Amino acid sequence: SHDMMGIHPYSGLEDPYSLYPHSLRNIDELCASIVRSHRETSQYRVEELQALRWKLFSREEIQAYQSKSVDEMWQHCAIRLTDAVQFVVEFAKHIPGFRMLSQNDQIALLKTGSMEVVLVRMSRFFNTENNTVFFDGKFAGTEVFKSLACGDLIAAVFDFAHGMCALKLTEQQIALFSALVLINADRPCLEDRSKVQRVQRSVESGLTHILHRDNQESLIHKLYQRMGVLRSLCSLHMEKLHWFSQRYPLTAHSLFPPLYKELFA
Ligand code: CLR
């Protein structure tokens, strides 16, 4: 019966082999769990962000960010990023099937995927009309991040957000896409790849299901393209982090948040 194959994300008692969503009802339940988890961990609702759209940093405030030292600004951004990553970890825990993976595989997926999901989520915090992102309570353009001394990364990240916004995804589509970015059986260092693959397939069918329902099947190709861009952005982030830690070992070792170090260092 379908009830016996039901996915109960919060029970912790799921049978791994029930993860193939054989019935439409199961797919609906899977999508509903992922959308709920996204909503509960997304920090701000779209309407709230919409209302804050024109709250920009003043010239003086921008100058204050620009006159921070490289390591001070890196530390500041690392803290903000780590906050965002923490919400992504919470999101992951409620993706049906995620918690049935081994601790090792959960960490391996988060190591490579959490930053990517933060960047997907960034599109919700982005104003394409003036190319600004919600950061520290107001909207900030690329110039705010000048003292990080990694203009190419910042430009690429803003570009990516712009491209994501152009897709005009719904909250449900963003939720399912985020889950798919995270649950990827091709990530390095996985112990039980086939188990991850089963979870991945269930999330894939969830995404396909809602795109079909929304009559937007053509989006799937664009989303897979975006995943390629995400991968290159994250390797650029790692490259910059490596550069930074060599230059400022003390900040990187003692002042970066432990979770940031654990996931990216
Ligand atoms: C992404 C969506 C999250 C909330 C959030 C928090 C911190 C923001 C992040 C968003 C977008 C990217 C961001 C980040 C802080 C610093 C970082 C603006 C809006 C920029 C791109 C600088 C990265 C610097 C690293 C190289 C350290 O739910």
Side-chain angles (χ1 to χ4, degrees):
S1 104
H2 292 147
D3 280 323
M4 294 185 65
M5 294 190 298
I7 295 160
H8 303 289
Y10 301 106
S11 71
L13 297 168
E14 306 92 314
D15 165 9
Y17 299 96
S18 75
L19 272 167
Y20 283 119
H22 295 286
S23 69
L24 220 73
R25 213 193 110 200
N26 274 350
I27 300 178
D28 270 333
E29 280 172 12
L30 174 100
C31 292
S33 300
I34 293 174
V35 169
R36 185 195 327 129
S37 181
H38 169 75
R39 196 189 331 110
E40 286 170 357
T41 62
S42 58
Q43 295 173 267
Y44 286 84
R45 281 179 288 116
V46 192
E47 312 86 70
E48 291 176 298
L49 290 161
Q50 201 67 29
L52 293 167
R53 256 174 123 65
W54 299 104
K55 213 175 156 188
L56 299 167
F57 284 116
S58 67
R59 184 170 296 280
E60 292 71 36
E61 288 170 319
I62 295 171
Q63 257 153 19
Y65 282 111
Q66 292 181 336
S67 57
K68 280 183 193 280
S69 63
V70 176
D71 61 328
E72 210 182 343
M73 188 62 179
W74 262 84
Q75 194 200 343
H76 186 79
C77 288
I79 292 170
R80 289 285 166 274
L81 274 174
T82 306
D83 280 345
V85 163
Q86 227 134 24
F87 283 97
V88 173
V89 172
E90 230 23 68
F91 168 69
K93 286 202 233 158
H94 297 293
I95 296 173
F98 183 83
R99 288 192 303 184
M100 296 178 334
L101 304 172
S102 69
Q103 191 101 46
N104 173 84
D105 288 357
Q106 295 186 14
I107 291 168
L109 292 178
L110 285 167
K111 244 182 156 91
T112 41
S114 59
M115 183 66 182
E116 297 189 2
V117 173
V118 167
L119 294 176
V120 170
R121 288 177 159 210
M122 177 177 171
S123 60
R124 301 174 69 250
F125 292 73
F126 197 75
N127 181 351
T128 47
E129 286 161 77
N130 57 7
N131 269 304
T132 55
V133 64
F134 192 69
F135 165 77
D136 267 357
K138 291 187 185 177
F139 278 82
T142 51
E143 70 278 8
V144 166
F145 302 98
K146 199 174 136 199
S147 48
L148 289 170
C150 49
D152 53 346
L153 172 64
I154 300 301
V157 164
F158 273 62
D159 240 46
F160 177 79
H162 208 280
M164 281 301 295
C165 288
L167 300 179
K168 299 210 177 303
L169 302 181
T170 65
E171 282 292 285
Q172 302 188 341
Q173 293 167 348
I174 293 176
L176 270 292
F177 180 55
S178 302
L180 190 59
V181 165
L182 217 48
I183 314 291
N184 182 342
D186 297 329
R187 300 295 195 189
C189 308
L190 292 172
E191 277 169 358
D192 192 344
R193 228 166 260 289
S194 61
K195 201 169 185 179
V196 177
Q197 200 155 51
R198 283 199 297 275
V199 184
Q200 183 185 327
R201 292 210 176 106
S202 74
V203 176
E204 265 164 354
S205 49
L207 181 61
T208 312
H209 172 68
I210 64 158
L211 291 180
H212 177 77
R213 189 203 56 195
D214 299 341
N215 224 325
Q216 290 196 290
E217 276 120 326
S218 62
L219 266 180
I220 197 81
H221 303 286
K222 294 180 183 157
L223 290 174
Y224 277 106
Q225 269 173 356
R226 295 279 95 198
M227 288 170 103
V229 183
L230 272 176
R231 210 169 272 219
S232 64
L233 278 180
C234 286
S235 62
L236 191 54
H237 169 239
M238 297 304 281
E239 226 174 84
K240 297 295 178 190
L241 178 61
H242 186 73
W243 163 84
F244 179 83
S245 332
Q246 292 207 313
R247 205 135 170 231
Y248 301 93
L250 231 78
T251 305
H253 281 100
S254 42
L255 298 174
F256 274 8
L259 180 66
Y260 186 82
K261 286 190 287 183
E262 191 184 326
L263 290 176
F264 306 122

